[in-house]
Amino acid sequence: MAQEYSVQLTFREQWTDERLKFDDIQGRLKYLTLTEANRVWMPDLFFSNEKEGHFHNIIMPNVYIRIFPNGSVLYSIRISLTLACPMNLKLYPLDRQICSLRMASYGWTTNDLVFLWKEGDPVQVVKNLHLPRFTLEKFLTDYCNSKTNTGEYSCLKVDLLFKREFSYYLIQIYIPCCMLVIVSWVSFWLDQGAVPARVSLGVTTLLTMATQTSGINASLPPVSYTKAIDVWTGVCLTFVFGALLEFALVNYASRSGSNKSNMHKENMKKKRRDLEQASLDAASDLLDTDSNATFAMASQFQRGGGQQKPLVRHPGDPLALEKRLQCEVHMQAPKRPNCCKTWLSKFPTRQCSRSKRIDVISRITFPLVFALFNLVYWSTYLFREEEDETF
């Protein structure tokens, strides 16, 4: 984007030269017409912010000079100009630009020549003026006299206020960027084991977003400040990159959880084997004790028919105390339910399900943060645009 604009205009200026007075033959001669401008004196006017310009000579030179009986001279010519227009692109593409058309005297100071706007309607704009990407909202006429070492020179200017048409950028930039960001969220709904699908989706959206950002910046002049479009594309690129990093985190959590789960299973198997072995040892000891007690009872009955001893463990028996301790129950007071914990409790707390939790949280976090960004972005830049309308 070159900071310039082109305009085709019919330029008219009028002055009085006492030397050109003539007799109108009792009102029958209104004016004389000349087609060669070098035959009369003319002001040395030039366009101070002109880059390029040319006259129109098809089919004949588009110029005429009218000399009235009182010495008044009207000069009219059709010209095309390319003028410099320094732009402030901080709000691009929600911006308004002021482009000026400056006309000044090159060699005559204000002591000899002064330019004045015609009273009434000095600037006339074609009705139903249509520009492809801008709308001409209004224009203002003013003076811009300049002082130099050689004197003060008269100057006129027209300030044209252009508003950029936003619909083009909405369709070509903003909506596609939103779609790319939303497409990058599809990976959150894919299975964590679908590595090729999630990687290809993340890389494709990231490259597409980077290409679109480069294309946007290629059509703009390099400036030292941040533009509104830079904020939008930068945040969208960050969201797409964040979705790709989220999968890397999910993959790491999944592999870490699998390793810990395998170690946990091995430890559980080892503990189960140890418990089984301890149970077998305890059962064998119990059988040995019962067999000895039975043998002692039988011997006692055979010897004298004495009183039978009960086969009940006494409170001080170590084995009975151990069994009683294993049957203790611990109760806790009920806690107030938490909505977030209740929702997260639907997913297991094992290490292998951490990756699933990350996906589920991302499904909600990414859209909410992006919606919040849109709210802040549009409220900020649209409010600044309304402030610029006070011009």
Side-chain angles (χ1 to χ4, degrees):
M1 177 190 294
Q3 300 193 41
E4 61 185 25
Y5 72 103
S6 299
V7 60
Q8 184 181 108
L9 55 89
T10 300
F11 175 75
R12 298 186 181 96
E13 59 180 343
Q14 191 171 5
W15 67 94
T16 301
D17 191 343
E18 299 289 341
R19 298 170 298 177
L20 298 178
K21 288 183 179 181
F22 64 90
D23 187 9
D24 60 353
I25 313 176
Q26 297 179 356
R28 287 183 296 178
L29 187 60
K30 294 183 178 180
Y31 54 81
L32 299 176
T33 301
L34 301 178
T35 57
E36 297 181 8
N38 57 357
R39 289 184 175 270
V40 297
W41 177 89
M42 295 183 60
D44 59 343
L45 181 141
F46 76 105
F47 297 92
S48 59
N49 58 335
E50 173 203 357
K51 286 187 173 182
E52 294 180 358
H54 66 272
F55 301 113
H56 294 265
N57 298 316
I58 304 214
I59 298 178
M60 295 292 291
N62 299 165
V63 59
Y64 68 81
I65 299 176
R66 291 177 181 176
I67 303 175
F68 295 89
N70 61 352
S72 178
V73 181
L74 174 63
Y75 175 71
S76 178
I77 187 170
R78 181 166 168 258
I79 54 179
S80 294
L81 298 171
T82 300
L83 304 166
C85 180
M87 298 183 182
N88 186 354
L89 300 175
K90 289 183 178 180
L91 299 180
Y92 175 87
L94 299 168
D95 57 335
R96 285 178 167 82
Q97 300 298 335
I98 301 175
C99 296
S100 299
L101 175 63
R102 295 174 177 268
M103 300 162 286
S105 173
Y106 187 80
W108 300 97
T109 64
T110 53
N111 296 327
D112 302 315
L113 180 64
V114 176
F115 290 122
L116 299 174
W117 285 110
K118 181 182 178 181
E119 296 181 359
D121 191 8
V123 178
Q124 298 174 350
V125 180
V126 178
K127 294 182 179 180
N128 300 323
L129 178 64
H130 178 72
L131 300 175
R133 295 189 183 183
F134 289 91
T135 300
L136 178 60
E137 291 190 332
K138 57 183 178 181
F139 55 88
L140 298 174
T141 59
D142 201 357
Y143 297 91
C144 55
N145 293 358
S146 60
K147 293 182 180 181
T148 64
N149 294 333
T150 57
E152 181 179 0
Y153 298 88
S154 182
C155 176
L156 303 176
K157 74 172 182 177
V158 182
D159 290 331
L160 307 173
L161 177 61
F162 294 101
K163 179 182 178 182
R164 198 181 300 273
E165 290 290 343
F166 179 68
S167 57
Y168 169 81
Y169 301 94
L170 179 65
I171 297 173
Q172 297 294 327
I173 297 177
Y174 284 90
I175 292 179
C177 287
C178 282
M179 294 175 65
L180 285 174
V181 172
I182 294 173
V183 167
S184 67
W185 298 342
V186 175
S187 63
F188 303 154
W189 301 87
L190 298 179
D191 185 74
Q192 59 187 11
V195 177
R198 297 187 69 162
V199 170
S200 60
L201 180 62
V203 172
T204 302
T205 53
L206 181 62
L207 293 178
T208 305
M209 191 67 214
T211 303
Q212 187 169 9
T213 303
S214 300
I216 295 170
N217 292 329
S219 61
L220 296 174
V223 293
S224 60
Y225 48 82
T226 302
K227 304 179 290 293
I229 194 67
D230 294 335
V231 176
W232 176 264
T233 55
V235 172
C236 290
L237 187 62
T238 302
F239 271 94
V240 175
F241 184 66
L244 185 60
L245 290 183
E246 187 270 349
F247 170 66
L249 181 61
V250 166
N251 193 19
Y252 173 77
S254 178
R255 290 186 290 105
S256 176
S258 298
N259 296 335
K260 291 183 178 181
S261 178
N262 294 333
M263 294 178 60
H264 181 69
K265 288 180 181 179
E266 293 295 332
N267 293 333
M268 292 299 293
K269 288 181 180 179
K270 185 177 180 181
K271 290 182 179 180
R272 190 178 296 110
R273 287 194 298 266
D274 294 341
L275 289 175
E276 290 176 355
Q277 185 64 33
S279 299
L280 291 175
D281 294 340
S284 61
D285 294 341
L286 182 61
L287 289 175
D288 293 340
T289 304
D290 290 342
S291 60
N292 294 333
T294 304
F295 178 76
M297 288 170 54
S299 300
Q300 195 172 12
F301 279 119
Q302 289 176 1
R303 289 180 182 179
Q307 187 177 1
Q308 184 179 0
K309 295 182 180 179
L311 297 175
V312 180
R313 298 286 181 182
H314 296 285
D317 194 343
L319 185 59
L321 180 61
E322 181 181 358
K323 291 183 178 180
R324 185 175 63 186
L325 291 176
Q326 292 178 356
C327 295
E328 290 182 358
V329 179
H330 299 275
M331 301 294 292
Q332 292 183 353
K335 295 182 179 180
R336 187 176 181 180
N338 191 323
C339 297
C340 296
K341 291 183 178 180
T342 303
W343 177 71
L344 291 174
S345 64
K346 297 180 180 179
F347 306 96
T349 57
R350 299 190 305 270
Q351 296 288 339
C352 60
S353 64
R354 285 184 179 178
S355 57
K356 184 66 176 178
R357 281 195 169 197
I358 295 173
D359 274 341
V360 173
I361 293 174
S362 299
R363 294 172 191 173
I364 298 176
T365 304
F366 274 73
L368 286 180
V369 175
F370 189 67
L372 180 61
F373 161 71
N374 274 270
L375 179 62
V376 174
Y377 180 87
W378 295 112
S379 60
T380 300
Y381 285 102
L382 290 178
F383 178 73
R384 290 186 181 180
E385 183 184 12
E386 292 177 357
E387 288 182 349
D388 292 342
E389 292 180 359
T390 58
F391 168 76

